[in-house]
Every structure is written in C-alpha cells, then in structure tokens.
Amino acid sequence: MSKKDGKYLTTGEFAKLCKVNKQTIFYYDQIGILSPVKKNEKGYRYYSIHQLELFFVIDLLKDLGMSLNDIQQYMQNKSPESFLSIMYRKKEEIVKKRQEIEMKEKMIEAKISLMEEASHLEFSQVTLQPLPEATLYLSRNIQNISDEKFVEVISDFINELQISQLDSGYPIGSITKREQVLKGEFSNYSYLYIEQPNPKEGHPYFRAVKGDFLIGYHVGSEKTISHTYERFFSEMERLHLVLGEYVFEEFIYDTVVQNDKEYFVTKIMMQVDRG
C-alpha cells in the first residue's frame, strides 16, 4: 500500500498524534473500538486522519468515567441518536461535578476565613456586639433526648447536609433555649445548625434575628464550660442586660486542629436585651 498521497497513517504515526503509545492503539483494535481503515498483506495497519476525532471522543468518554466495555457497546451500535444521548448524559454529569467542586471551593474558602479570623481573637474577652440576621439550617429537635437518639440526629443532619449540598463550610453549631441556660443545662441543646450565607430555595430555614449579643470564648472541654457561662452572667449583670431567647455555640478549635481537649475553643453568642 502506498502512502505517497498522505491519506493514511501508520500505527506509530497515529499513536503519536493521539499522544499515546502504540500498544494502546493495538488494544483498541483488539477490543473493537478503534480499528484501522486498512491492513496490507503484511499485516501493517493504516489509519485515516478522520479517525483522530473518534479517538478523541473515546478518550473524552474515558475521562468522564465511561468504561471501555460501554464504549465498545456504543461502537457496535453507533447512531446519531445514541451519540447525542451519551453527550447529553455526560453533560449533565459534568454540570453536577462542577457544582460539587464549586461547593467544595466555597467550603474551603469559609474554613480559611474562619481560621484566619480565629488567629486574631482574644479568647479571654467577653464583648457586646450587634449581629446581623443570619440564615441557619437546623437539625431535628434534640432537647432532652437520649445519647443514642442524639447520635442518630447528628447522623441524619450530616446526611441531609451532604445530600442537599448544604454544607457551607461553616462550623456546625448548637442552639440552646433561654430556659435551659437559666437552669444551668448548658449542653441541653435544642437544635444543631449550620449557617447558610447563600441559602438555596426549597429548604426550611431558621432566621436568627439581628440584635445585641454577648460574645466570648470557652477554652477547654465541655466539662468546664459552666465557668465561662458564669463570666457571661457577671458581664450581663454589669451591663444591666437580660438573657434573650437563644444562645448559640460554635467550635472554633476542635479535633480538626487540636488533639488536646484542654485547647478546644468554643465561641458562645448569647442573645441579650436591655434590662
């Protein structure tokens, strides 16, 4: 066979243009997804330049997770309709993956921002600050539930965040109602929550109203958090404030960045009103 007219490519030439080795091209021929257009009497394979597009489509489908077996099935039943069906399906998969990547990027950005902010905080201070309205996604009610039920609610909540793509990268916090705080039941939470800076439509949200909050930090394990709340109560009395409807807690430093519980840091945001 003559190649003088330049219409055919040897296996080596074709493989070089495809940026793969010859064994890949041989294998594709063997399994019937990309065969040469011609073979001469000596068994040499020759490919057409028009087959480059077919190779690139095969390569694209592989990158998109399509198995060689599925590609082989398509090659045996080619049609414009089946090709369009594959392309539409793969486009939907790419859109979904892009959305997932964008969500993860936002999560990382939020975690970087929160950690950088934490590095400049003075954990010994309790300050009175105005906070804007915040949109929170809540768990089921967890007040007065058993330890076993509590684990179940946490598991369900985390699953909801993942399935509905509501994990914003902000820490999972807890809401305690006024009545429990006044009783000294600081860990008898009513709900878990995660802040939603960009809330999606179609989900029930809790609106944390804007207002004045005493904000401070508890350093150490949950066992000693009552001492930190005593500091809050003393500051409330000094400023002539009364406890509002809710108290919010969020981990600043937890097992993600510390091994020793004595160095855990919990942010406490206590809603207050003028007495």
Side-chain angles (χ1 to χ4, degrees):
M1 178 183 296
S2 173
K3 280 183 70 239
K4 290 182 180 179
D5 56 7
K7 290 181 179 179
Y8 300 107
L9 302 166
T10 65
T11 302
E13 292 169 337
F14 188 74
K16 186 175 181 180
L17 289 173
C18 295
K19 295 182 172 57
V20 295
N21 55 45
K22 289 195 295 184
Q23 283 68 32
T24 298
I25 303 301
F26 288 145
Y27 182 64
Y28 284 1
D29 180 19
Q30 180 183 339
I31 63 175
I33 63 174
L34 179 58
S35 298
V37 291
K38 290 184 180 293
K39 289 183 181 179
N40 67 10
E41 61 279 1
K42 294 182 179 179
Y44 289 113
R45 298 169 170 85
Y46 291 93
Y47 293 83
S48 165
I49 194 169
H50 301 296
Q51 290 180 286
L52 287 170
E53 181 62 25
L54 177 57
F55 175 86
F56 295 143
V57 169
I58 293 170
D59 205 42
L60 172 64
L61 294 175
K62 280 179 56 187
D63 285 344
L64 295 175
M66 194 168 178
S67 69
L68 286 177
N69 183 59
D70 287 342
I71 295 172
Q72 185 181 36
Q73 293 299 315
Y74 166 72
M75 293 301 169
Q76 292 172 357
N77 300 280
K78 290 180 188 175
S79 72
E81 292 77 16
S82 59
F83 179 73
L84 273 176
S85 176
I86 291 173
M87 290 296 103
Y88 279 127
R89 187 170 70 250
K90 291 302 177 182
K91 181 181 178 181
E92 289 177 1
E93 292 175 5
I94 289 175
V95 169
K96 184 177 179 181
K97 286 181 181 178
R98 183 171 66 244
Q99 291 171 343
E100 290 173 351
I101 291 172
E102 288 173 351
M103 183 188 73
K104 289 176 181 177
E105 182 181 13
K106 289 178 181 177
M107 288 170 56
I108 291 171
E109 287 174 349
K111 291 183 184 300
I112 289 172
S113 177
L114 291 168
M115 197 56 57
E116 288 181 342
E117 179 184 351
S119 67
H120 301 293
L121 294 174
E122 178 51 65
F123 296 140
S124 62
Q125 293 182 347
V126 176
T127 58
L128 179 63
Q129 299 178 33
L131 291 183
E133 181 183 82
T135 302
L136 310 178
Y137 185 74
L138 302 187
S139 70
R140 302 201 311 269
N141 193 305
I142 57 174
Q143 187 174 314
N144 297 322
I145 65 174
S146 65
D147 291 343
E148 292 79 9
K149 196 70 175 177
F150 181 66
V151 172
E152 178 187 319
V153 171
I154 291 176
S155 177
D156 290 345
F157 185 59
I158 291 172
N159 286 337
E160 288 172 20
L161 297 180
Q162 294 174 344
I163 293 170
S164 300
Q165 297 185 347
L166 293 171
D167 189 342
S168 60
Y170 283 73
I172 293 177
S174 59
I175 299 176
T176 311
K177 291 182 179 178
R178 180 178 186 273
E179 292 77 10
Q180 276 59 55
V181 174
L182 291 177
K183 291 178 184 177
E185 299 176 357
F186 308 119
S187 299
N188 189 4
Y189 311 124
S190 295
Y191 301 95
L192 302 176
Y193 73 86
I194 187 169
E195 187 173 347
Q196 299 291 297
N198 301 295
K200 297 179 178 180
E201 293 184 4
H203 297 282
Y205 294 112
F206 174 80
R207 304 287 179 181
V209 298
K210 66 179 180 180
D212 292 330
F213 287 77
L214 278 181
I215 298 177
Y217 303 87
H218 170 66
V219 180
S221 70
E222 184 183 285
K223 294 179 180 179
T224 59
I225 202 168
S226 60
H227 303 310
T228 301
Y229 271 92
E230 288 174 6
R231 287 170 46 217
F232 272 77
F233 292 142
S234 296
E235 189 66 8
M236 281 173 55
E237 186 176 352
R238 187 183 72 83
L239 296 173
H240 305 289
L241 301 170
V242 295
L243 183 61
E245 192 173 357
Y246 300 108
V247 174
F248 302 86
E249 290 185 11
E250 294 176 358
F251 272 126
I252 301 299
Y253 293 159
D254 56 8
T255 53
V256 173
V257 296
Q258 294 285 3
N259 288 321
D260 192 337
K261 288 184 177 180
E262 297 306 310
Y263 296 103
F264 285 8
V265 177
T266 305
K267 182 179 183 179
I268 300 173
M269 294 162 282
M270 183 178 287
Q271 189 176 11
V272 293
D273 297 312
R274 301 290 176 179

